[in-house]
Amino acid sequence: MTPPPSSRPSKHSRSVTPSRPMRSELEEFAEHCRAWYYQQDDDAGRRMTQTLATLPPSQRAPFARLQASVRSAYHASVNARRDAEFKAHLSATKPGGSLMPHSRADPNGPLAKKERYDRLDRFIRTWCTMGMPGTKPFFQGLWAVMRLQVVPQELGGAGSYRVEWEIDDAVFKEAGGKEFMLEAIDVLKGVLAFEESSLSRSPSTNSSVQYTAFTSLSPIHSRSQSQPLPSGGTTPTRPQKSPPISSRTQTKRPRAPSDPFMDAPPPGLSASYSSANTGLSTSSSSAADEPVTPLTPNAELDDLLVRAPPGQEFCEADGYVRTWTAPDLSNPEFLSLLSLFPSFVVRNPLPRFPVTSVSRRVPDIEEGEPMESDRKDIKVGTGTMWLGTKRRADGWQGGWWTRFKLWLARVFC
């Protein structure tokens, strides 16, 4: 025979606390996670997966939270290391500094031109292929910059000015891996003598909201948590639940004494019914507002989580753009370098800059750079490019034979 329920059940008897994982189990699981992410240990990866698959649902949340912390720390370390390598190699490379000493002595001589041709040819053959779609937008933009340099200004080209190309740093870091990043910087800046400047924050990531690298409940990895745990030793406030229908429908309101639909029960029965209804509503509200018992204490889990130094932002290296100014090469050399690009890169039509009837003048130093609203941007491949204010050196048109061929191309093509 089932005993009757007590009139006021105890708060501890309503919820059964699930069994908590031991600290040794969490430490062993954390070691497996670190060995898998940092060392790519296949055996540790199988143990980590097997542990998550065999856990009861009541113990899965702390393990998933611990795995998310290790995974987040690993990705942050990879991004930080890649960003440090990118900045170090970029600062160590000088425009034209990757050429041989005899080529640097005469950058416009035949030896320097041949070395630039050979280095760019090897770079394109290695990284610009149909099997590598990630680098295609980069090479499309590079081809467009060189192609616009040989187009006269009255036809929508750069003419005597140098094109400026704004690229996100992530293009170098993520398009083809570390080797592509280092070689792209070496070819663009060290061989072709591109000039980079104007480091700025990308508009898509320029937000006042900043997230720390690892918080006790990181929103980046919230999908890996089956049940969020309270942080800081305090119980999170649960949303207020509506009382049961019975208590809501039986709530009394003032009614007129002459209401024909109101039954007039005896005074004793009315008082007992009201007190019973009040007790039922109070017990239902307290049961609904009772917090869920945490699966594991915060103090036992928080000290196992991997945390970043204070003030370090998550992926703070991402979201920066740089302005790359086209090299000051002659039109004949640009035409020679353009012949190296494969057909699947140059098949698309080339956008042109807007043609203005007013001739451009060299801006005064006190005027500064032109406003972004005044320039006319075009997009080809990756990034944005516009007509810069720096002029090319004398002799950029080449000899009379080159000018004659370009004139024939404009007349008959």
Side-chain angles (χ1 to χ4, degrees), residues 327-370:
D328 190 7
L329 304 177
S330 62
N331 282 353
E333 186 172 1
F334 272 123
L335 292 174
S336 175
L337 298 177
L338 285 170
S339 64
L340 298 174
F341 289 88
S343 59
F344 70 89
V345 172
V346 303
R347 67 179 57 168
N348 296 328
L350 177 68
R352 304 295 180 95
F353 295 117
V355 180
T356 56
S357 58
V358 181
S359 60
R360 299 186 59 182
R361 64 177 179 86
V362 180
D364 190 20
I365 298 179
E366 296 181 355
E367 295 181 3
E369 296 293 334

Side-chain angles (χ1 to χ4, degrees), residues 150-170:
V150 300
V151 178
Q153 188 174 355
E154 59 270 15
L155 298 180
S160 60
Y161 293 91
R162 298 165 65 180
V163 178
E164 294 187 356
W165 184 22
E166 188 180 68
I167 323 174
D168 197 316
D169 287 351

Side-chain angles (χ1 to χ4, degrees), residues 8 10 27 48 57 71 78 84 104 108 120 173 175 207 209 251 272 279 288 292 310 339 342 349 362 373 401 406 408:
R8 185 178 182 86
S10 176
E27 292 177 350
M48 180 187 67
R71 181 176 60 245
V78 170
R104 294 198 301 267
N108 295 324
L120 182 61
K173 302 174 188 178
S207 174
V209 181
T251 301
S272 61
V292 177
S339 64
V362 180
S373 58
W401 179 243
L406 292 177
L408 291 178

